[in-house]
Amino acid sequence: MALDVEQLVSRSVVVEAPQERAFDVFTAGFSTWWPLASHHIGQADAAEAVIEPRAGGRWFERGVDGSECDWGFVTAWEPPHRLVLAWHLTPEYEFDPDPAQATEVEVRFTPTDGGTLVELEHRGFEKYGDPEKIRQSVSQKGGWGDLLEMYAKAV
């Protein structure tokens, strides 16, 4: 069954780097491009955002005071080709530990002439009572499109 286009947000960017570097900057270098000042959920200012390098690893932020706030978990770790993250944030950007309520962010890294095509798909919004609210939030200004542009500059 095909997924309704309204139930996902899809963005892509081509970076001028080999596939391995593109994957590494997205994952190990996550804090080098993620806008920590504006995109964090903890009470404290964010010092870093972390994607642990393994399936089952955490996706979280660490505050300047050492506190940690989970965003989700790594569900697929396939360097340098693919990464899938379970997004456990509600439409109000609060952590929900229930895996049945998590949406999914898949990032694919495909070699192209002179670089790597990075494709991001955020899906599963139908799990929310108001799926359009979160879909709109991650697709508008400051959402995945702008975030991928910041990532591309970091690469």
Side-chain angles (χ1 to χ4, degrees):
M1 181 171 138
L3 188 62
D4 183 350
V5 178
E6 294 300 313
Q7 296 176 354
L8 62 88
V9 170
S10 181
R11 299 289 184 269
S12 64
V13 66
V14 174
V15 295
E16 294 180 16
Q19 182 184 32
E20 293 79 9
R21 174 155 171 74
F23 186 92
D24 188 56
V25 171
F26 195 96
T27 57
F30 195 65
S31 286
T32 66
W33 61 272
W34 189 263
L36 294 168
S38 60
H39 286 59
H40 71 95
I41 63 169
Q43 294 299 314
D45 289 341
E48 66 179 333
V50 178
I51 299 172
E52 293 180 335
R54 65 183 181 282
R58 293 170 57 215
W59 181 26
F60 67 99
E61 72 182 63
R62 183 172 293 120
V64 295
D65 62 357
S67 61
E68 294 182 351
C69 294
D70 286 332
W71 296 355
F73 300 93
V74 179
T75 59
W77 182 262
E78 302 168 13
H81 307 283
R82 181 172 169 261
L83 167 73
V84 181
L85 302 165
W87 167 292
H88 280 259
L89 301 182
T90 68
E92 293 75 32
Y93 293 96
E94 296 172 351
F95 181 74
D96 182 345
D98 182 359
Q101 295 301 310
T103 58
E104 188 172 72
V105 178
E106 179 176 5
V107 189
R108 294 177 303 278
F109 302 83
T110 306
T112 62
D113 289 337
T116 302
L117 170 63
V118 180
E119 299 171 287
L120 182 145
E121 187 175 280
H122 191 163
R123 57 186 173 249
F125 304 116
E126 69 279 359
K127 295 177 180 185
Y128 299 120
D130 182 4
E132 189 59 19
K133 179 178 179 182
I134 189 71
R135 194 187 74 73
Q136 283 293 324
S137 178
V138 300
S139 66
Q140 66 187 4
K141 184 165 178 54
W144 285 121
D146 289 345
L147 294 168
L148 281 183
E149 290 300 320
M150 291 176 202
Y151 157 75
K153 289 177 184 172
V155 174

